[in-house]
Amino acid sequence: MPKRLLLWLLDVSYEVEGGSPVVKLWGITNDGMRVMVKDHEFKPYFYVLPKSGVDARRAAEIKALEAPSEPILSIDEVDKKFFGKSVKALKVSCLLPQSIPSYREKVVRLPWVEDTLEADIRFYMRYLIDNHINPCDWCEIEVEPESISSHLKVDAVYRATSRPRPHPKDEVPDLRVLAFDIECYNKGGSPVPQRDPIIIISLCSNLEKRVLRAEGHDDSKLIKEFVDFVELYDPDIIVGYNSNNFDWPYLQSRAKLHGIKLKVSREGLEPHQSVYGHISIVGRANLDLYDYAEDLAEVKIKTLENVAEHMGVMAKQERTFVDYLEIADYWDDPARRPQLEKYAEEDSASTYGIGMEVLPFAVQLSRLTSLPLDQVLAASVGFRVEWYLMKIAYSEGELIPNRVERRYEPYKGGLVLKPKEGLHENVAVLDFSAMYPHLMIKYNIGFDTYIPPEEACSEEECNVAPEVGHRFRKSPPSLYRKALEQLIELRKQIREEMKQLHKGDLRYTLLDNKQKAVKTMTNAMYGYLGWTGARFYLKPCAEATAAYGRQTILRTIGIARNMGLQVIYGDTDSIFVKYEEDKVRKFIERVEEEMGLEIKLEKIYKTCFFTEAAKKYAGLTFDGKIDVVGFEAVRGDWCQLAQEVQTKVLEIILTTKDVQAAVNYVKELIRKVREGKVELKELVIWKTLSKPLDEYEVEAAHVQAAKQLMASGHRLELGDKVGFVVVKGSSAKISERVKPHIFVSIDEVDREYYARKQVAALALRILKPFGVSEEQLTSERKQASLFDFLGK
């Protein structure tokens, strides 16, 4: 007898069994069992759009293309919409997912066919969309038990006897989470898997911390122990930091060298690279937390240590520190090896801590977008928005356009006001809440409401965008508008429920992460409009939204000035004004009344510094936090010491308003550089080999260093980082005066290069507006006080 199963969906996959596709739902039941449900009934399909005026009932011509080994199951005429217009289409259902691309290519060549659509949607994602179910969410399904194959790592296997249906249960089950991190022997700089063994794998879960060790330089037993541990602990989620790009590929390479099967999935299979570059582990969710860290604007250098400290997981001063370049030396020295093991243990503990902070948000984002948990962080913002829109389109009967390659089409973006250069006190930052989404709703902007220039439309029927003149029907609501209204209403409901709860309540935490995921999606909708890779791309939509945005911010600046507020800067959807409490309060009320848009006081800076360039400022809040925008040094062009200079100079300027103190700090640092009193590792410049050495047209410094490494017997591959130091020499070309860092002593360093072209160069990006020159930083002369540069 079939039974009703309540399932929290963790992963979804499919394979062909007995000549027919089987969708596999991997999840957790409401009583905590890890199960797999097999659905044999769902079949792949695509749509055929006939040319205008052609009778859609020409199914026989499509059926004639059928190959006996790849049956076409049915061809049905359906009523759909395409770009908002009603169309007749043919739904072609096939037996095998892999036959869809070939049939698509054959059908599109028929003379009466305009296009084929939705043939490029992944089969298991098609299943989720059509059944209105989401990963990381509950569904109910009628099932019958099946026997469990020995290779499966689940408590039970079921066969679906009904289609799954969404279920309102909201709680997240108890999840088994495992964090891991590997340390590799790296005597020659960047470790190479064909040469350098894994010496430590550190593991951390809610139950234990464990450090697995290699036997000397032999990591075969270590890798087997890792596979055994994963099987024993049986995690639902595995988290790492840069694991998609480093840890997993490295493990795979080393396992292959030893002939070891890295069977860590619940289906007894090895990990494999899947969409968005992520590593898929079937039946589990593999999360690379570096994907999340990339969106943390507050963290300029995305090391594990920096992110852990930023998220309150582990302070850097509490950490055991081992220089990356000395890992091999620590491993080879029995006296220092325990310190290396402690360092590795803290890496996995930090990864676990970050994972527990990120996971609730990732779960809600997966639920919202329908992207499986292991994909949702790896996918770009554009793909997240697109899958959400595809769900809405399916529900509205709108055919989904194909993904096509387009050249980038620039268009005029948001208004950016030239800042008033210098230091300013008491600066209020006022932000419109989701300005672009609200403008898209207000003016009904969408690919399905856009009216081409050749079509007529009266003023009563259309909204006309300022400057660009693009027109959009006022009704019916566009797909974008429906999607945005759903998101905004959902967030409103969530926040209302949160008001009834205490912050320590588990339900409050769940809802808070849910509203953050909804906010993230809402704010990303406008950016999707201008992404040329978007299925629903239409340039006039992006141009019109930006034009309405410019009009809005110009009116806002006008109101501020009319009310006597000093406007210091404006950027896209925010303005910076001299803070006067009563005026700002009245300004907010007037803007909201006249424009129908919400604007709020985001923050007040005690001190704020602007250069003459837009999108480049730093501010000190009253609680001591420093925000830095646009000043970050590009990591591949600057040594560690130079990067630290910018941060310190900004801190001195903002906290003391004493330019002379900043100048003195830089001069003292330059003196240390010239006297050789800085560590060599602070002077290493790291750059990645992004292509084979013979493809570099310019003899770049890191290429020259790479050639020296290879000539000395080191093996380098695409993607390896090369560390080099600029040394003394007569040549004016830097590329002719570099050496790999492992070959350099401190006495060889071109100290004047580092003093002028690294430390002074980055410091001047902040100090130049105060009238400070390179000579004043690098000479021994004193600089007059510049206190009175403070902006009035």
Side-chain angles (χ1 to χ4, degrees), residues 647-708:
T647 304
K648 186 64 178 177
V649 167
L650 281 169
E651 180 185 324
I652 294 169
I653 293 291
L654 292 171
T655 56
T656 70
K657 307 188 192 80
D658 188 348
V659 178
Q660 183 60 51
V663 170
N664 291 342
Y665 159 75
V666 177
K667 287 173 73 71
E668 174 61 16
L669 192 60
I670 286 174
R671 183 188 64 78
K672 288 182 179 179
V673 170
R674 284 172 168 164
E675 293 176 3
K677 294 182 177 178
V678 296
E679 293 187 57
L680 183 63
K681 65 182 181 182
E682 295 182 281
L683 305 178
V684 178
I685 302 169
W686 291 93
K687 293 205 77 169
T688 302
L689 289 175
S690 57
K691 51 188 176 182
L693 295 183
D694 57 4
E695 291 185 16
Y696 282 92
E697 295 178 8
V698 178
E699 191 72 357
H702 71 299
V703 174
Q704 184 62 30
K707 289 180 177 179
Q708 293 177 46

Side-chain angles (χ1 to χ4, degrees), residues 412 464-472 540 543-548 550:
K412 190 177 179 182
V464 183
E467 297 180 50
V468 293
H470 299 313
R471 300 169 302 156
F472 299 87
E543 285 185 318
T545 306
Y548 279 119
R550 291 192 298 273

